């Protein structure tokens, strides 16, 4: 794209190349979550369902977002049964499942995504996941997520993996 063109008599030809930072698929957004919130829904089909929200601001007691917050949502399925009085997200490697099979070791397309809330708690951004791998090991959570727009985020959390008691389905 030519931004400016000028010429004058007897001028030497000069080529100017403008390189712009960003846009590289090798770049990652690094996000260290301060809060892990979520819920355990018990058995769903052949696996156990854990819903996790990682964020910088936390969420309300009803798992609702907070203004200005960055939120990563994960709908995990595991072969490990949780304690209904306070489940802990099980250790393991979970991969993104676009087909929503709800198989153990996966996170679903329909329940896993990203949102950034503005100061009025409206969505400033919401993105769907293209691919993701999450490793939970003890008190560490490490996710590499690529969104459908091509941006990659590396999301980490260190701390308790304890989730709330299951929500009523009544």
């Amino acid at each position: 794209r030519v931004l400016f063109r000028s010429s004058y008599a007897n001028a030497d030809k000069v080529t100017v190349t403008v390189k712009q930072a960003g846009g590289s698929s090798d770049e990652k957004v690094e996000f260290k979550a301060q809060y892990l919130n979520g819920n355990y829904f018990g058995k769903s089909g052949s696996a156990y369902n854990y819903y996790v929200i990682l964020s910088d601001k936390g969420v309300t007691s009803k798992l609702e977002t907070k203004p200005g917050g960055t939120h990563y949502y994960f709908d995990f399925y595991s072969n490990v049964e949780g304690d209904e009085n306070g489940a802990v997200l099980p250790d393991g490697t979970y991969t993104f499942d676009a087909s929503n099979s709800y198989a153990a070791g996966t996170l679903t397309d329909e329940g896993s995504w990203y949102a950034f809330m503005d100061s009025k708690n409206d969505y400033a951004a919401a993105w769907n996941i293209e691919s993701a791998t999450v490793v939970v090991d003890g008190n560490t959570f490490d996710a590499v997520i690529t969104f459908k727009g091509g941006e990659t985020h590396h999301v980490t959390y260190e701390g308790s993996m304890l989730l709330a008691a299951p929500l009523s389905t009544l």
Side-chain angles (χ1 to χ4, degrees):
R1 180 172 154 192
V2 176
L3 300 175
F4 177 76
R5 181 177 288 184
S6 178
S7 64
Y8 58 93
N10 300 321
D12 291 333
K13 286 189 174 188
V14 176
T15 300
V16 176
T17 303
V18 177
K19 290 189 177 184
Q20 195 170 359
S24 168
S25 62
D26 294 337
E27 292 184 34
K28 288 182 186 169
V29 171
E30 295 288 335
F31 182 82
K32 184 170 181 165
Q34 300 301 309
Y35 297 91
L36 180 140
N37 301 100
N39 223 320
Y40 172 64
F41 292 103
K43 194 156 190 175
S44 179
S46 64
Y48 298 94
N49 185 205
Y50 297 80
Y51 194 68
V52 174
I53 304 167
L54 291 180
S55 66
D56 56 351
K57 305 257 183 188
V59 294
T60 70
S61 62
K62 294 180 181 179
L63 299 181
E64 296 166 340
T65 59
K66 291 186 177 178
T70 299
H71 306 278
Y72 294 86
Y73 298 84
F74 301 93
D75 188 28
F76 290 108
Y77 286 82
S78 172
N79 60 3
V80 177
E81 182 176 9
D83 181 343
E84 292 191 8
N85 295 314
V88 173
L89 182 62
D91 287 355
T93 299
Y94 301 88
T95 55
F96 181 71
D97 179 12
S99 71
N100 297 312
S101 70
Y102 313 108
T106 66
L107 56 139
T108 68
D109 178 42
E110 68 183 9
S112 303
W113 55 294
Y114 162 87
F116 175 73
M117 309 309 289
D118 67 16
S119 62
K120 294 179 182 175
N121 210 28
D122 291 325
Y123 290 103
W127 300 335
N128 293 323
I129 296 174
E130 177 75 26
S131 66
T133 300
V134 178
V135 177
V136 178
D137 185 14
N139 289 335
T140 63
F141 183 111
D142 192 304
V144 177
I145 308 161
T146 301
F147 294 97
K148 291 193 176 174
E151 190 166 341
T152 299
H153 290 204
H154 179 216
V155 179
T156 58
Y157 169 81
E158 289 186 45
S160 174
M161 298 292 164
L162 180 65
L163 305 177
L167 292 176
S168 172
T169 57
L170 299 177

